[in-house]
Amino acid sequence: MYAMSLGTLQRKLPPMIAQLIIWAYDNGYELTFGDAYRDPRVHGQLGEKVGYGHKNSAHKQRLAVDLNLFKDGQYLTSTEDHRLLGEFWESIGGTWGGRFADGNHYSLEYNGVK
């Protein structure tokens, strides 16, 4: 098996996020978007910490989206609240931030960055 290029993974992420959104709504959840791309002009280059977030954030590589989760009109904030979505995300090939205390983070891993 070969490693996918960054560009290939960046293009793979949006349809996967679409699958996750459809799955969430089909299962009684609602979502709003949180962080997606973190511009290096504002947040530093990969490996450099500027502002908030991890210095090696997949957001800086356009490979992560944070999603705000709602059910029955209530905003759900805990990692455990995201577990069903996270496990679905993993089942379609994603990396879920709930495995490293960032429950609303959905990403694709590239060169060890999640």
Side-chain angles (χ1 to χ4, degrees):
M1 185 173 159
Y2 70 97
M4 283 191 216
S5 71
L6 178 58
T8 298
L9 285 172
Q10 289 169 331
R11 292 184 299 276
K12 182 178 177 185
L13 183 66
M16 287 178 66
I17 291 294
Q19 279 184 270
L20 179 63
I21 290 169
I22 291 166
W23 187 93
Y25 278 80
D26 284 349
N27 285 278
Y29 294 97
E30 294 179 308
L31 302 167
T32 62
F33 288 109
D35 266 1
Y37 179 55
R38 291 187 184 152
D39 191 322
R41 294 171 295 181
V42 177
H43 301 286
Q45 297 296 326
L46 190 66
E48 177 186 10
K49 181 163 177 60
V50 176
Y52 72 96
H54 194 276
K55 69 180 185 172
N56 288 323
S57 171
H59 293 276
K60 293 180 181 181
Q61 296 178 310
R62 300 177 196 263
L63 290 177
V65 174
D66 293 341
L67 297 172
N68 302 311
L69 183 63
F70 298 82
K71 186 142 191 176
D72 299 323
Q74 184 169 350
Y75 179 40
L76 306 174
T77 60
S78 76
T79 292
E80 192 58 35
D81 292 332
H82 283 262
R83 179 165 302 283
L84 291 176
L85 275 77
E87 290 175 350
F88 174 77
W89 181 247
E90 291 173 330
S91 79
I92 63 171
T95 299
W96 175 48
R99 304 294 180 203
F100 47 90
D102 192 4
N104 73 331
H105 177 91
Y106 300 85
S107 64
L108 295 178
E109 185 174 350
Y110 180 72
N111 284 342
V113 177
K114 302 176 189 179

